[in-house]
Amino acid sequence: MYTGKTQQPCCLCGREETAVRMDIPPRAVQLLDNSGPIAWRDIEGDVSLHFCDSDWETVRDVVLDAGMTPLPRCNAARADFVLREDFEALLNDVRDEPDQTPLEREMLADAERVVDEYDDPDALHSERDLVEARVVQWALGELGHWPTA
C-alpha cells in the first residue's frame, strides 16, 4: 500500500497547496536551485514544478513582463520527477543513460507551437501554456544546444 504524499509542494515557498504545474525537460534540472546532487541524466520523463497561487503570479510576471526565467529560484528538492531504478547496483550490470533527445525535441516543438499560436483565438492556449513554453525555450537555449529534428 502506498502511503506517500500525492501532492507536490510549491517549488518556491514549499507551501503544500499548489494550483499550477509546469513541466520542463530533464536537462533543465541543472538550472534549478540545489540541483547539484541530482543525476539529471538518470531522470526518466519530464520534470514537474508546482506553484502555489501567489508564487504562480510572481512566476507569470517574471516570465511575461520581465522576460526572465524563474528556474534559478525553484528548489530542485521540491521538483517532481522519476529517476531510473538502480539496476546497475542490483544486477552488477551497466545500463545506457536514457536518451532524452526525443522528449526535448517534443517539448521544444510544443513550446514553439504555443508561442507561435498564442495570439490566435482558435488555438485555445492559456497564459500558463505560454509561460511554460517560454521557460522551456529559454532553458534549452541556455543549456547550450537545441535538440535536432
Side-chain angles (χ1 to χ4, degrees), residues 5-146:
K5 294 181 183 178
T6 57
Q7 182 147 0
Q8 292 301 122
C10 176
C11 68
L12 291 173
C13 69
R15 188 174 293 138
E16 289 295 322
E17 295 178 20
T18 57
V20 179
R21 186 184 97 200
M22 177 172 59
D23 295 331
I24 60 173
R27 222 168 16 119
V29 165
Q30 300 170 90
L31 303 175
L32 302 177
D33 189 29
N34 298 316
S35 65
I38 297 174
W40 66 268
R41 287 180 178 90
D42 286 337
I43 295 174
E44 294 181 346
D46 52 7
V47 175
S48 296
L49 305 176
H50 299 261
F51 300 94
C52 65
D53 279 326
S54 62
D55 283 343
W56 177 251
E57 290 302 316
T58 302
V59 167
R60 184 215 151 287
D61 293 345
V62 164
V63 172
L64 299 181
D65 297 338
M68 297 170 48
T69 181
L71 295 183
R73 296 282 192 194
C74 297
N75 190 339
R78 296 182 186 131
D80 183 28
F81 52 86
V82 175
L83 290 173
R84 69 182 175 145
E85 294 182 26
D86 194 358
F87 286 108
E88 294 171 8
L90 181 63
L91 302 175
N92 199 21
D93 187 22
V94 177
R95 292 176 52 196
D96 292 332
E97 292 175 353
D99 180 9
Q100 298 167 345
T101 306
L103 175 63
E104 288 184 2
R105 188 179 305 126
E106 179 183 339
M107 291 183 84
L108 182 60
D110 288 345
E112 289 172 345
R113 183 179 40 74
V114 168
V115 170
D116 290 344
E117 296 176 353
Y118 184 71
D119 291 327
D120 180 358
D122 295 329
L124 301 176
H125 296 295
S126 68
E127 193 173 63
R128 189 216 66 84
D129 296 337
L130 181 62
V131 170
E132 179 180 85
R134 288 195 174 154
V135 169
V136 167
Q137 286 179 320
W138 294 337
L140 289 175
E142 185 175 334
L143 291 167
H145 76 276
W146 296 87

